[in-house]
């Protein structure tokens, strides 16, 4: 077998393994929320967590809605804030945040690590962050300690929804 053929076979096997691992990797979700989900599904999930969600259309783009609400964290039982932006009724960015105690933060972190794998935590000033990326979606856990108060958030971002909205937005701006 020539060296070129050997390298080709090695790369092909590696790509096949990476593709299979990616296909088997679970979708990035948190508390049953997923970026890219239809707005109606997110509202139903918020309702199932004894929460609420109120949405308003953006003043600058009728295709965008900004929503805020609260839910009960199914992991800790504490109330947390829910914020999202949707484009064409699909969730582009969704953030769950709140003041947490050490146990709640540990539960969030261990739940994410057990489902999506260990990643190194990065620190920037007083803020810490862990991030997972799969199939054009990102999940980021961020936390910081201010005195005796811990604040944490989990953000879910769908790159395809944002990209599609951006392309549509550019086309509409070009027609003006």
């Amino acid at each position: 077998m020539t060296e070129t053929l050997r390298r080709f076979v090695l790369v092909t096997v590696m790509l096949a393994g990476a593709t299979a691992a990616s296909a088997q990797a679970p979708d990035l979700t948190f508390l049953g929320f997923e970026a890219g989900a239809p707005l109606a599904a997110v509202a139903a999930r918020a309702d199932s967590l004894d929460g609420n969600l109120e949405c308003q259309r953006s003043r600058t783009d009728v295709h965008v809605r900004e929503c805020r609400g609260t839910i009960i964290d199914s992991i800790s039982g504490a109330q947390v804030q829910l914020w999202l932006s949707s484009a064409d009724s699909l969730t582009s960015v969704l953030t769950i945040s709140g003041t947490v105690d050490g146990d709640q933060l540990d539960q969030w972190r261990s739940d994410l690590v057990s489902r999506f794998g260990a990643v190194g935590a990065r620190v920037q000033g007083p803020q810490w962050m862990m991030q997972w990326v799969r199939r054009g979606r990102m999940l980021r856990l961020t936390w910081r300690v201010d005195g005796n108060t811990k604040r944490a958030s989990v953000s879910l971002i769908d790159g395809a929804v944002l990209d599609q909205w951006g392309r549509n937005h550019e086309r509409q701006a070009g027609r003006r």
Side-chain angles (χ1 to χ4, degrees):
M1 187 181 287
T2 68
E3 184 62 27
T4 303
L5 182 57
R6 187 177 10 255
R7 286 182 181 166
F8 174 76
V9 170
L10 179 62
V11 168
T12 303
V13 168
M14 289 173 57
L15 286 174
T19 301
S22 176
Q24 294 171 355
D27 287 334
L28 297 174
T29 62
F30 185 68
L31 300 180
F33 294 100
E34 179 178 7
L39 190 53
V42 174
R45 179 61 183 153
D47 188 54
S48 77
L49 293 172
D50 295 325
N52 59 28
L53 189 63
E54 294 182 21
C55 299
Q56 294 182 341
R57 285 203 187 276
S58 167
R59 292 181 180 143
T60 58
D61 187 336
V62 297
H63 302 281
V64 174
R65 289 185 185 207
E66 296 178 3
C67 307
R68 295 189 180 278
T70 59
I71 58 169
I72 301 300
D73 175 354
S74 59
I75 295 174
S76 71
Q79 186 178 46
V80 291
Q81 305 300 309
L82 174 64
W83 170 88
L84 70 87
S85 180
S86 73
D88 297 318
S89 297
L90 297 176
T91 307
S92 56
V93 178
L94 182 144
T95 300
I96 298 164
S97 66
T99 302
V100 298
D101 63 24
D103 289 341
Q104 185 178 7
L105 177 58
D106 289 344
Q107 288 173 338
W108 283 12
R109 193 171 35 228
S110 65
D111 175 62
L112 293 169
V113 167
S114 71
R115 290 189 300 128
F116 308 123
V119 295
R122 296 185 197 152
V123 64
Q124 184 174 15
Q127 184 166 291
W128 291 75
M129 183 266 297
M130 296 171 77
Q131 178 174 295
W132 296 262
V133 177
R134 299 238 179 21
R135 293 188 287 276
R137 293 184 176 158
M138 182 185 75
L139 185 150
R140 179 181 288 168
L141 169 64
T142 306
W143 69 95
R144 68 183 302 143
V145 178
D146 293 318
N148 292 332
T149 304
K150 288 183 181 140
R151 296 223 19 103
S153 67
V154 173
S155 296
L156 297 152
I157 299 152
D158 189 300
V161 172
L162 288 171
D163 288 346
Q164 185 62 38
W165 172 79
R167 283 191 292 275
N168 290 343
H169 190 70
E170 286 173 2
R171 275 193 293 257
Q172 290 170 0
R175 288 187 225 156
R176 293 181 194 160

